[in-house]
Amino acid sequence: MNIKKICKDVIWVGADDRRLSLFENIYPLPKGVSYNSYLILDTKTVLMDAADASVADVFFENVESALNGRKLDYVVVQHMEPDHSATLGTLLQKYPEVTVVCNAKTKTMIHQFFGDTVTISPMIVKEGDVLQTGNHALQFMMAPMVHWPEVMMTYDRSNKILFSADAFGSFGTLDGAIFADEVNFEELYLDEARRYYANIVGKYGAPVQAVLKKTAGLDIQMICPLHGLVWRKNLEFLLDKYQHWSTYQPEERAVVVAYASMYGNTAQVAEKMAEKMDAKGWPVRVYDLSKTGRDFVLGEVFRASHLVLASATHDGGLFEPMEYLLREMVSHGLQDRKVALIENGSWAPMAAKQMQTLLNTMKGIQIAEPVISVKSALNPAQEPELDKLIENFSLL
Ligand code: FEO
């Protein structure tokens, strides 16, 4: 059992998971993940979402402990993805008198996931509806596609808390803290928050913008997401990040060099490019796409303004690690980046053409001239060409 009070009558009853290797069975979790759930202790008791099956034992212990013998009156289901609702069926069995509060889409999904194993008579809510639980007035706001169609958020008018579902969440366990202002967030969590955003919500920039506009008129003193730390100070920092990410604007003028190299020759050109950009004073980070997962690099391309993409040619096409990254960038709607291209091929370099084809499907991409085409290894005679590329790239 491990519960944390986040204000006088709201208790965090979630759990950390350090064992899971892959979130959604695809995204690595080197720093784990937390599944947040919150209990409001008012005249009526309200549980804000359930949790993943992997933390069921701790979650139910936490709920029981926080209730301290009281009855559970409501469970608000903001999101039906199983990382938050897999334990809902068991919760309904443990607390048969609880009233489920959800929207119509959620009700359908509850039946899809649980079939006849649960019987519910939910309180169906829609945009702007308010649930009065005593001192608290919980106002519901629909947030479709942040990150599923049924998602809704809840604004606690009395405590001025926004229960934000997946939005404003992060990968990474809580490690004893609960508030973002208790840790060095920029150093310890920002990269994981960005990677979480880019991969999980990144495709849905327009719906995130719609929610940001909806919440702009509210007096929000605290944000309680379903993953990661709770925000009670410096909310502007997080909102600014979301403004950049959801409009696909880079956070900073910085260079990300990502290369897909078979024998190290393409990597050498990419490293030389990094060295020269660094010498010009640019912040630079370099990634080998065969080593670093494309989900990590996707987070990085959401951060940086300038991308150097260097790829070998493989079987007449793009070397697959680069193709995978570019397809992720396309499918997540990335826009407005400055790009330098380097290709390699020992008999017929084709990578640049294929990178350009994919980049041309994205909005606001500027490709610096010249594109560097290497045959097997960089020829010293190509140095001036590389310098010209750096000069032009830096001006974009
Ligand atoms: Fe954390 Fe979309 O679930």
Side-chain angles (χ1 to χ4, degrees), residues 2-3 24 63 74-75 91 96 120 145 150 152 155 173 188-189 205 245-246 249 308 315 347 352 361:
N2 178 24
I3 62 177
E24 296 182 357
V63 172
Y74 296 105
V75 56
L91 183 93
I120 53 168
M145 300 320 296
E150 87 296 0
M152 65 180 191
Y155 179 59
T173 50
L188 298 174
Y189 285 92
W245 298 339
S246 61
Q249 297 307 304
V308 176
D315 288 341
W347 68 91
T361 66

Side-chain angles (χ1 to χ4, degrees), residues 29-86:
L29 289 173
K31 297 182 177 178
V33 66
S34 74
Y35 304 104
N36 297 341
S37 172
Y38 305 90
L39 185 68
I40 301 171
L41 294 170
D42 198 358
T43 307
K44 299 287 186 183
T45 59
V46 186
L47 185 65
M48 300 301 299
D49 291 290
D52 189 74
S54 65
V55 296
D57 288 351
V58 176
F59 166 64
F60 284 119
E61 277 176 26
N62 285 350
V63 172
E64 196 179 329
S65 168
L67 280 169
N68 196 21
R70 290 188 62 183
K71 163 175 174 267
L72 181 61
D73 294 300
Y74 296 105
V75 56
V76 175
V77 183
Q78 299 188 112
H79 186 13
M80 270 306 289
E81 194 168 9
D83 56 329
H84 309 294
S85 68

Side-chain angles (χ1 to χ4, degrees), residues 167-230:
F168 307 113
S170 174
F171 291 137
T173 50
L174 301 179
D175 296 357
I178 184 69
F179 296 109
D181 56 89
E182 295 177 304
V183 302
N184 185 336
F185 185 85
E186 284 198 65
E187 188 178 314
L188 298 174
Y189 285 92
L190 180 56
D191 284 347
E192 283 294 84
R194 187 188 302 105
R195 182 169 72 93
Y196 168 85
Y197 178 88
N199 288 280
I200 308 298
V201 194
K203 188 182 178 78
Y204 308 111
V208 172
Q209 274 288 298
V211 161
L212 288 177
K213 288 190 175 79
K214 213 183 267 192
T215 56
L218 300 174
D219 177 7
I220 297 170
Q221 299 294 322
M222 194 181 286
I223 295 176
C224 291
L226 288 176
H227 303 283
L229 295 153
V230 170

Side-chain angles (χ1 to χ4, degrees), residues 79-304:
H79 186 13
M80 270 306 289
E81 194 168 9
D83 56 329
H84 309 294
S85 68
T87 50
L88 182 63
T90 308
L91 183 93
L92 299 178
Q93 286 162 9
K94 281 180 178 284
Y95 300 95
E97 293 175 10
V98 71
T99 298
V100 172
V101 181
C102 66
N103 60 48
K105 285 180 190 158
T106 304
K107 182 186 175 194
T108 302
M109 286 191 184
I110 291 174
H111 289 300
Q112 286 173 193
F113 275 105
F114 295 106
D116 295 333
T117 62
V118 299
T119 306
I120 53 168
S121 301
M123 176 187 295
I124 299 293
V125 295
K126 54 189 186 316
E127 182 72 33
D129 283 355
V130 174
L131 172 64
Q132 197 74 44
T133 62
N135 292 322
H136 292 248
L138 302 177
Q139 177 186 333
F140 301 105
M141 291 182 300
M142 302 303 120
M145 300 320 296
V146 186
H147 123 251
W148 277 19
E150 87 296 0
V151 170
M152 65 180 191
M153 298 183 183
T154 307
Y155 179 59
D156 176 352
R157 288 179 181 171
S158 52
N159 281 331
K160 304 190 189 316
I161 295 175
L162 179 67
F163 294 97
S164 62
D166 272 344
F168 307 113
S170 174
F171 291 137
T173 50
L174 301 179
D175 296 357
I178 184 69
F179 296 109
D181 56 89
E182 295 177 304
V183 302
N184 185 336
F185 185 85
E186 284 198 65
E187 188 178 314
L188 298 174
Y189 285 92
L190 180 56
D191 284 347
E192 283 294 84
R194 187 188 302 105
R195 182 169 72 93
Y196 168 85
Y197 178 88
N199 288 280
I200 308 298
V201 194
K203 188 182 178 78
Y204 308 111
V208 172
Q209 274 288 298
V211 161
L212 288 177
K213 288 190 175 79
K214 213 183 267 192
T215 56
L218 300 174
D219 177 7
I220 297 170
Q221 299 294 322
M222 194 181 286
I223 295 176
C224 291
L226 288 176
H227 303 283
L229 295 153
V230 170
W231 286 76
R232 63 180 173 181
K233 291 181 183 171
N234 199 15
L235 303 189
E236 307 74 31
F237 173 85
L238 185 62
L239 290 167
D240 180 64
K241 294 297 177 200
Y242 262 65
Q243 182 61 24
H244 281 86
W245 298 339
S246 61
T247 53
Y248 303 98
Q249 297 307 304
E251 286 165 61
E252 54 184 322
R253 269 181 80 79
V255 178
V256 164
V257 178
Y259 66 81
S261 180
M262 298 178 77
Y263 304 110
N265 295 303
T266 307
Q268 279 196 9
V269 189
E271 296 283 6
K272 191 175 274 290
M273 191 79 186
E275 195 182 307
K276 285 174 182 277
M277 292 302 288
D278 175 76
K280 278 179 134 344
W282 284 76
V284 181
R285 291 188 195 169
V286 180
Y287 296 97
D288 178 347
L289 294 172
S290 296
K291 177 79 183 290
T292 306
R294 58 185 184 272
D295 58 302
F296 283 87
V297 184
L298 186 71
E300 284 293 84
V301 303
F302 264 71
R303 176 182 62 83

